[in-house]
PDB file of all heavy atoms in Angstrom:
ATOM      1  N   ILE A 263      59.901 -34.143 -28.725  1.00  0.00           N
ATOM      2  CA  ILE A 263      60.877 -33.878 -29.639  1.00  0.00           C
ATOM      3  C   ILE A 263      60.329 -33.017 -30.723  1.00  0.00           C
ATOM      4  O   ILE A 263      59.221 -33.307 -31.362  1.00  0.00           O
ATOM      5  CB  ILE A 263      61.513 -35.176 -30.235  1.00  0.00           C
ATOM      6  CG1 ILE A 263      61.882 -36.153 -29.176  1.00  0.00           C
ATOM      7  CG2 ILE A 263      62.485 -34.983 -31.241  1.00  0.00           C
ATOM      8  CD1 ILE A 263      63.105 -35.721 -28.404  1.00  0.00           C
ATOM      9  N   ALA A 264      60.898 -31.791 -30.975  1.00  0.00           N
ATOM     10  CA  ALA A 264      60.563 -30.914 -31.987  1.00  0.00           C
ATOM     11  C   ALA A 264      61.260 -31.300 -33.319  1.00  0.00           C
ATOM     12  O   ALA A 264      62.424 -31.622 -33.379  1.00  0.00           O
ATOM     13  CB  ALA A 264      60.853 -29.521 -31.626  1.00  0.00           C
ATOM     14  N   ASP A 265      60.404 -31.018 -34.481  1.00  0.00           N
ATOM     15  CA  ASP A 265      60.987 -31.385 -35.815  1.00  0.00           C
ATOM     16  C   ASP A 265      61.852 -30.304 -36.415  1.00  0.00           C
ATOM     17  O   ASP A 265      62.372 -30.436 -37.431  1.00  0.00           O
ATOM     18  CB  ASP A 265      59.811 -31.700 -36.672  1.00  0.00           C
ATOM     19  CG  ASP A 265      58.832 -30.577 -36.974  1.00  0.00           C
ATOM     20  OD1 ASP A 265      59.010 -29.537 -36.446  1.00  0.00           O
ATOM     21  OD2 ASP A 265      57.805 -30.829 -37.686  1.00  0.00           O
ATOM     22  N   GLY A 266      61.971 -29.098 -35.746  1.00  0.00           N
ATOM     23  CA  GLY A 266      62.855 -28.029 -36.303  1.00  0.00           C
ATOM     24  C   GLY A 266      62.158 -27.075 -37.310  1.00  0.00           C
ATOM     25  O   GLY A 266      62.738 -26.369 -37.893  1.00  0.00           O
ATOM     26  N   ALA A 267      60.806 -27.285 -37.666  1.00  0.00           N
ATOM     27  CA  ALA A 267      60.147 -26.502 -38.621  1.00  0.00           C
ATOM     28  C   ALA A 267      59.937 -25.143 -38.042  1.00  0.00           C
ATOM     29  O   ALA A 267      60.002 -24.944 -36.830  1.00  0.00           O
ATOM     30  CB  ALA A 267      58.798 -27.163 -39.008  1.00  0.00           C
ATOM     31  N   PRO A 268      59.759 -24.119 -38.895  1.00  0.00           N
ATOM     32  CA  PRO A 268      59.361 -22.798 -38.418  1.00  0.00           C
ATOM     33  C   PRO A 268      58.158 -22.770 -37.418  1.00  0.00           C
ATOM     34  O   PRO A 268      58.011 -22.002 -36.546  1.00  0.00           O
ATOM     35  CB  PRO A 268      59.097 -21.914 -39.662  1.00  0.00           C
ATOM     36  CG  PRO A 268      59.877 -22.582 -40.757  1.00  0.00           C
ATOM     37  CD  PRO A 268      59.790 -24.142 -40.392  1.00  0.00           C
ATOM     38  N   GLU A 269      57.250 -23.529 -37.833  1.00  0.00           N
ATOM     39  CA  GLU A 269      56.066 -23.765 -36.864  1.00  0.00           C
ATOM     40  C   GLU A 269      56.026 -25.295 -36.460  1.00  0.00           C
ATOM     41  O   GLU A 269      55.485 -26.168 -36.949  1.00  0.00           O
ATOM     42  CB  GLU A 269      54.733 -23.462 -37.535  1.00  0.00           C
ATOM     43  CG  GLU A 269      54.610 -21.902 -37.913  1.00  0.00           C
ATOM     44  CD  GLU A 269      53.238 -21.630 -38.442  1.00  0.00           C
ATOM     45  OE1 GLU A 269      52.265 -22.605 -38.544  1.00  0.00           O
ATOM     46  OE2 GLU A 269      52.988 -20.540 -38.810  1.00  0.00           O
ATOM     47  N   PRO A 270      56.913 -25.543 -35.445  1.00  0.00           N
ATOM     48  CA  PRO A 270      57.237 -26.893 -35.121  1.00  0.00           C
ATOM     49  C   PRO A 270      56.148 -27.848 -34.676  1.00  0.00           C
ATOM     50  O   PRO A 270      55.221 -27.441 -33.926  1.00  0.00           O
ATOM     51  CB  PRO A 270      58.429 -26.758 -34.090  1.00  0.00           C
ATOM     52  CG  PRO A 270      57.992 -25.508 -33.416  1.00  0.00           C
ATOM     53  CD  PRO A 270      57.499 -24.709 -34.442  1.00  0.00           C
ATOM     54  N   VAL A 271      56.245 -29.097 -35.038  1.00  0.00           N
ATOM     55  CA  VAL A 271      55.420 -30.104 -34.511  1.00  0.00           C
ATOM     56  C   VAL A 271      56.277 -30.776 -33.447  1.00  0.00           C
ATOM     57  O   VAL A 271      57.421 -31.230 -33.730  1.00  0.00           O
ATOM     58  CB  VAL A 271      55.011 -31.092 -35.624  1.00  0.00           C
ATOM     59  CG1 VAL A 271      54.217 -32.289 -34.939  1.00  0.00           C
ATOM     60  CG2 VAL A 271      54.121 -30.374 -36.532  1.00  0.00           C
ATOM     61  N   VAL A 272      55.793 -31.098 -32.284  1.00  0.00           N
ATOM     62  CA  VAL A 272      56.336 -31.787 -31.101  1.00  0.00           C
ATOM     63  C   VAL A 272      55.730 -33.075 -30.892  1.00  0.00           C
ATOM     64  O   VAL A 272      54.648 -33.161 -30.508  1.00  0.00           O
ATOM     65  CB  VAL A 272      56.429 -30.836 -29.840  1.00  0.00           C
ATOM     66  CG1 VAL A 272      57.120 -31.606 -28.758  1.00  0.00           C
ATOM     67  CG2 VAL A 272      56.906 -29.473 -30.122  1.00  0.00           C
ATOM     68  N   TRP A 284      58.513 -21.455 -31.246  1.00  0.00           N
ATOM     69  CA  TRP A 284      59.753 -21.505 -30.735  1.00  0.00           C
ATOM     70  C   TRP A 284      60.119 -20.445 -29.744  1.00  0.00           C
ATOM     71  O   TRP A 284      59.710 -19.226 -29.858  1.00  0.00           O
ATOM     72  CB  TRP A 284      60.804 -21.340 -31.907  1.00  0.00           C
ATOM     73  CG  TRP A 284      60.959 -22.318 -32.800  1.00  0.00           C
ATOM     74  CD1 TRP A 284      60.521 -22.355 -34.119  1.00  0.00           C
ATOM     75  CD2 TRP A 284      61.488 -23.639 -32.513  1.00  0.00           C
ATOM     76  NE1 TRP A 284      60.776 -23.639 -34.639  1.00  0.00           N
ATOM     77  CE2 TRP A 284      61.417 -24.351 -33.746  1.00  0.00           C
ATOM     78  CE3 TRP A 284      62.061 -24.293 -31.382  1.00  0.00           C
ATOM     79  CZ2 TRP A 284      61.802 -25.705 -33.864  1.00  0.00           C
ATOM     80  CZ3 TRP A 284      62.315 -25.656 -31.477  1.00  0.00           C
ATOM     81  CH2 TRP A 284      62.253 -26.336 -32.728  1.00  0.00           C
ATOM     82  N   PRO A 289      66.649 -22.728 -30.464  1.00  0.00           N
ATOM     83  CA  PRO A 289      66.845 -22.529 -31.986  1.00  0.00           C
ATOM     84  C   PRO A 289      66.862 -23.686 -32.936  1.00  0.00           C
ATOM     85  O   PRO A 289      66.929 -23.544 -34.076  1.00  0.00           O
ATOM     86  CB  PRO A 289      68.184 -21.773 -32.031  1.00  0.00           C
ATOM     87  CG  PRO A 289      68.945 -22.432 -30.835  1.00  0.00           C
ATOM     88  CD  PRO A 289      67.944 -22.742 -29.894  1.00  0.00           C
ATOM     89  N   GLN A 290      66.969 -24.912 -32.406  1.00  0.00           N
ATOM     90  CA  GLN A 290      67.098 -26.069 -33.209  1.00  0.00           C
ATOM     91  C   GLN A 290      66.052 -27.294 -32.806  1.00  0.00           C
ATOM     92  O   GLN A 290      65.538 -27.149 -31.708  1.00  0.00           O
ATOM     93  CB  GLN A 290      68.486 -26.574 -33.333  1.00  0.00           C
ATOM     94  CG  GLN A 290      69.100 -27.282 -32.028  1.00  0.00           C
ATOM     95  CD  GLN A 290      69.342 -26.321 -31.016  1.00  0.00           C
ATOM     96  OE1 GLN A 290      69.873 -25.095 -31.385  1.00  0.00           O
ATOM     97  NE2 GLN A 290      69.381 -26.631 -29.791  1.00  0.00           N
ATOM     98  N   LYS A 291      66.041 -28.213 -33.847  1.00  0.00           N
ATOM     99  CA  LYS A 291      65.225 -29.265 -33.365  1.00  0.00           C
ATOM    100  C   LYS A 291      65.776 -30.235 -32.365  1.00  0.00           C
ATOM    101  O   LYS A 291      67.009 -30.137 -32.176  1.00  0.00           O
ATOM    102  CB  LYS A 291      64.848 -30.110 -34.714  1.00  0.00           C
ATOM    103  CG  LYS A 291      66.128 -30.809 -35.338  1.00  0.00           C
ATOM    104  CD  LYS A 291      65.739 -31.566 -36.641  1.00  0.00           C
ATOM    105  CE  LYS A 291      67.001 -32.266 -37.160  1.00  0.00           C
ATOM    106  NZ  LYS A 291      66.582 -32.891 -38.398  1.00  0.00           N
ATOM    107  N   GLY A 292      64.968 -31.054 -31.728  1.00  0.00           N
ATOM    108  CA  GLY A 292      65.481 -32.054 -30.743  1.00  0.00           C
ATOM    109  C   GLY A 292      64.642 -31.971 -29.449  1.00  0.00           C
ATOM    110  O   GLY A 292      63.416 -31.451 -29.490  1.00  0.00           O
ATOM    111  N   LEU A 379      58.109 -23.231 -26.514  1.00  0.00           N
ATOM    112  CA  LEU A 379      59.102 -24.261 -26.459  1.00  0.00           C
ATOM    113  C   LEU A 379      60.229 -23.616 -25.594  1.00  0.00           C
ATOM    114  O   LEU A 379      60.861 -22.602 -26.143  1.00  0.00           O
ATOM    115  CB  LEU A 379      59.507 -24.778 -27.783  1.00  0.00           C
ATOM    116  CG  LEU A 379      58.336 -25.522 -28.530  1.00  0.00           C
ATOM    117  CD1 LEU A 379      58.870 -25.990 -29.885  1.00  0.00           C
ATOM    118  CD2 LEU A 379      57.696 -26.623 -27.704  1.00  0.00           C
TER     119      LEU A 379
END
Side-chain angles (χ1 to χ4, degrees):
I263 304 294
D265 64 1
E269 296 184 5
V271 175
V272 180
W284 287 112
Q290 69 278 333
K291 64 181 180 180
L379 302 177

